[in-house]
Amino acid sequence: MKNYVFKSLFWVLFIFLANFSILNAQSASGIDVNLNVGGCNNNGICEVGNEDIFSCPADCTPVIPPTPPGGGGGGGGSTIGYFFKDLRVTPSYNSVIIEWKSTVPTMSNLKWGTNPDYKDGVVSNVNFLLDHRVEITNLNPGTVYYFSIQAESNLGITSSLSNQSFTTLISPDTTPPGNPTNVKAISSTAGITVSWKNPKDKDFDYIRVMRNDDRYYASPLDGRLVYEGTGNYFTDANVIEGHKYFYSLFARDKNGNYSSGALVSIIHNPSNSDKWKEPVVIPSEGIEPLSDIFIINQNSLTYDFYPGNIFSLSGDASINIKTNYSSKEKDDDMWVEIRNADGVIISQYFFSRTKDKDNFINVIIPSFDKGGYYRITVYKYNNGVAQLVNYGSFEISKTTKSTSTLSFWYIFWLVIIVIFILLILFLLFFILIPRIFRRFRKDKENEEYIIKEIRGEDKVQ
């Protein structure tokens, strides 16, 4: 009995020491052994938190069906469900974010290019991940790009996803259209008629006219909307005699950008006693020194704009007036007024509130139809009252005739030439040719008559 007990204890001790040696050998070799196998229930479902591919390979090793002939059209065959799930592509103007998930950890290799050869770039990830995210930058806006993804699992199984594409967004158009030009207002018994010329921008959409009773406003949302459309005039019948009205005209393009605004004001008086065209009185000794910088640009030429300066400019190109003035109040809008040598206002335009890279705002004055002397005055509102800011003069020279004049004479002489050609054709086909034909027939008849007469005389002889 003692021998039996001794032998049993010996074998238990032997088995314990043997298992202990095996475990130590595995640990020393660097093999990570997961002894928590109690959660492997062999139900075919890999239960997160309790099972993984090491503790329960029966449930967590994906079954990979054989790839069908032809490779499944570049989508990685039937393994795509495991390697590429929830693919999401988010492009912007010059970048894209490509995201996807995989059921098993994979490392990836993403290639892209403007052609399906994917030669523009490649991004590789050597870590085995379930959630994948790749951001590609420095792309061109509004461009189609192609990409492919190669993936490899931790079991050495590979798959690919190709023939994918995306289009980067087109950069938004933030350039406003030109202002309406030749803005005029006339008071009559029908009301106040405001007329203008639409800008020539290709993306021009319509004109929006806002009316106010106290002053001009540089926003297409301030005031009462009295007109919106693509026409060239409208009549405001809802006006009171003796009252002054301020109209701000804004051109809108198809991307929603508004021009800085063109202005006109008038007192409704059918008897035509409105004095709004009288020139403003400019201080003879100038105004206080400006704290803001004013610059005039035309083509490649730049001039400093100080009070009283006279500028010799071309009337064939637009003129850009810039200032570093910074708005200090909500409605301290600034605008430029242009009068001809007779003191008549020919145009008024707001300065844009959008600053350029040099922190300047500007106003664009279109080319002039006629050369000559023009008075330029800059105003801004101070507590709702128009305040003189700067003034000067333009000596405008014209080197080409206006398009309207050329068009008129071109059409005039074209009509004269067409009428002359039609007159010649009429004379030719309805008078000369029929007359020649009748003369020919008459000569033919006379010839036949003479022949008959001669033949008759021969018979008598």
Side-chain angles (χ1 to χ4, degrees):
M1 183 69 180
K2 290 181 179 180
N3 292 335
Y4 177 77
V5 172
F6 178 76
K7 289 181 180 180
S8 297
L9 291 174
F10 174 80
W11 282 111
V12 169
L13 180 61
F14 177 78
I15 293 172
F16 174 78
L17 293 174
N19 288 335
F20 181 79
S21 300
I22 293 173
L23 290 173
N24 284 341
Q26 290 175 337
S27 178
S29 64
I31 299 176
D32 185 10
V33 180
N34 187 346
L35 298 179
N36 183 20
V37 296
C40 187
N41 50 23
N42 297 322
N43 63 354
I45 301 174
C46 188
E47 299 173 355
V48 179
N50 296 323
E51 299 176 343
D52 56 34
I53 195 171
F54 300 106
S55 65
C56 191
D59 289 349
C60 295
T61 301
V63 178
I64 309 299
T67 303
S78 56
T79 63
I80 187 171
Y82 293 100
F83 288 163
F84 307 105
K85 299 182 66 175
D86 301 329
L87 178 65
R88 182 170 56 186
V89 181
T90 309
S92 65
Y93 304 112
N94 53 13
S95 65
V96 66
I97 296 176
I98 302 175
E99 301 172 284
W100 73 95
K101 297 181 179 180
S102 54
T103 304
V104 296
T106 62
M107 60 180 180
S108 59
N109 190 41
L110 188 148
K111 300 179 180 179
W112 76 90
T114 53
N115 293 304
D117 53 8
Y118 319 116
K119 291 185 177 181
D120 284 12
V122 58
V123 174
S124 299
N125 186 358
V126 296
N127 298 316
F128 290 98
L129 303 172
L130 293 174
D131 296 325
H132 307 265
R133 183 181 187 275
V134 176
E135 182 176 8
I136 306 172
T137 59
N138 297 325
L139 303 178
N140 296 322
T143 304
V144 178
Y145 286 89
Y146 303 86
F147 70 93
S148 68
I149 308 173
Q150 292 79 39
E152 181 179 353
S153 71
N154 49 14
L155 298 179
I157 302 173
T158 61
S159 180
S160 64
L161 180 66
S162 57
N163 298 327
Q164 304 297 309
S165 65
F166 62 88
T167 303
T168 51
L169 303 180
I170 299 176
S171 299
D173 175 17
T174 58
T175 302
N179 280 309
T181 57
N182 292 358
V183 179
K184 299 177 181 178
I186 299 175
S187 178
S188 66
T189 55
I192 296 175
T193 299
V194 180
S195 61
W196 62 88
K197 281 187 177 181
N198 291 329
K200 297 181 180 179
D201 299 71
K202 293 182 179 180
D203 59 349
F204 167 71
D205 196 8
Y206 60 79
I207 297 293
R208 182 181 181 92
V209 182
M210 305 298 292
R211 191 188 79 184
N212 287 278
D213 297 333
D214 56 341
R215 45 160 286 189
Y216 297 118
Y217 286 88
S219 170
L221 303 178
D222 288 340
R224 178 177 179 178
L225 176 63
V226 292
Y227 177 83
E228 198 169 71
T230 58
N232 296 99
Y233 72 94
F234 86 101
T235 299
D236 188 3
N238 189 19
V239 291
I240 301 174
E241 185 173 350
H243 190 76
K244 187 172 185 177
Y245 296 93
F246 299 81
Y247 297 92
S248 300
L249 291 76
F250 302 91
R252 182 187 186 276
D253 64 18
K254 297 184 184 300
N255 291 295
N257 300 307
Y258 284 96
S259 66
S260 63
L263 323 172
V264 67
S265 62
I266 190 172
I267 297 174
H268 178 46
N269 193 332
S271 61
N272 199 24
S273 60
D274 178 24
K275 302 298 183 182
W276 71 283
K277 293 182 179 181
E278 291 183 355
V280 66
V281 178
I282 303 297
S284 58
E285 298 180 357
I287 59 178
E288 296 180 1
L290 299 177
S291 58
D292 305 305
I293 299 173
F294 282 83
I295 298 173
I296 289 181
N297 290 120
Q298 187 178 60
N299 299 324
S300 60
L301 302 177
T302 301
Y303 309 92
D304 292 328
F305 184 9
Y306 295 109
N309 281 7
I310 301 176
F311 305 93
S312 297
L313 301 171
S314 170
D316 301 320
S318 61
I319 300 171
N320 185 8
I321 302 179
K322 302 172 59 176
T323 178
N324 67 343
Y325 167 78
S326 181
S327 177
K328 301 177 180 61
E329 302 174 9
K330 178 181 177 182
D331 294 323
D332 57 349
D333 306 311
M334 182 182 294
W335 74 98
V336 60
E337 176 190 275
I338 305 170
R339 294 177 182 260
N340 62 17
D342 297 327
V344 177
I345 297 176
I346 63 169
S347 59
Q348 298 179 99
Y349 303 106
F350 274 120
F351 279 78
S352 172
R353 281 188 172 269
T354 303
K355 295 185 178 181
D356 60 15
K357 59 183 180 63
D358 297 322
N359 209 33
F360 279 73
I361 60 174
N362 74 312
V363 58
I364 303 296
I365 301 176
S367 58
F368 287 78
D369 293 333
K370 298 179 180 179
Y373 175 86
Y374 294 89
R375 167 74 72 174
I376 309 299
T377 312
V378 179
Y379 297 95
K380 77 176 183 68
Y381 282 110
N382 184 10
N383 296 323
V385 179
Q387 177 183 354
L388 180 65
V389 175
N390 202 352
Y391 70 94
S393 302
F394 289 167
E395 288 287 354
I396 298 298
S397 60
K398 291 289 290 184
T399 59
T400 60
K401 296 181 179 179
S402 64
T403 304
S404 59
T405 303
L406 290 176
S407 300
F408 170 78
W409 287 110
Y410 175 81
I411 295 174
F412 174 79
W413 287 112
L414 181 62
V415 171
I416 294 298
I417 292 173
V418 170
I419 294 175
F420 181 73
I421 293 175
L422 292 176
L423 182 60
I424 292 176
L425 292 176
F426 177 80
L427 293 174
L428 183 63
F429 287 98
F430 292 96
I431 298 178
L432 295 179
I433 292 179
R435 181 173 297 180
I436 293 173
F437 182 74
R438 287 195 299 269
R439 182 66 179 270
F440 176 78
R441 279 188 67 182
K442 187 173 181 180
D443 292 342
K444 188 68 175 177
E445 291 174 355
N446 291 337
E447 183 180 352
E448 291 176 353
Y449 177 78
I450 293 173
I451 292 173
K452 289 180 181 180
E453 288 291 331
I454 294 174
R455 288 177 179 176
E457 293 177 359
D458 291 344
K459 292 179 180 180
V460 172
Q461 293 177 355

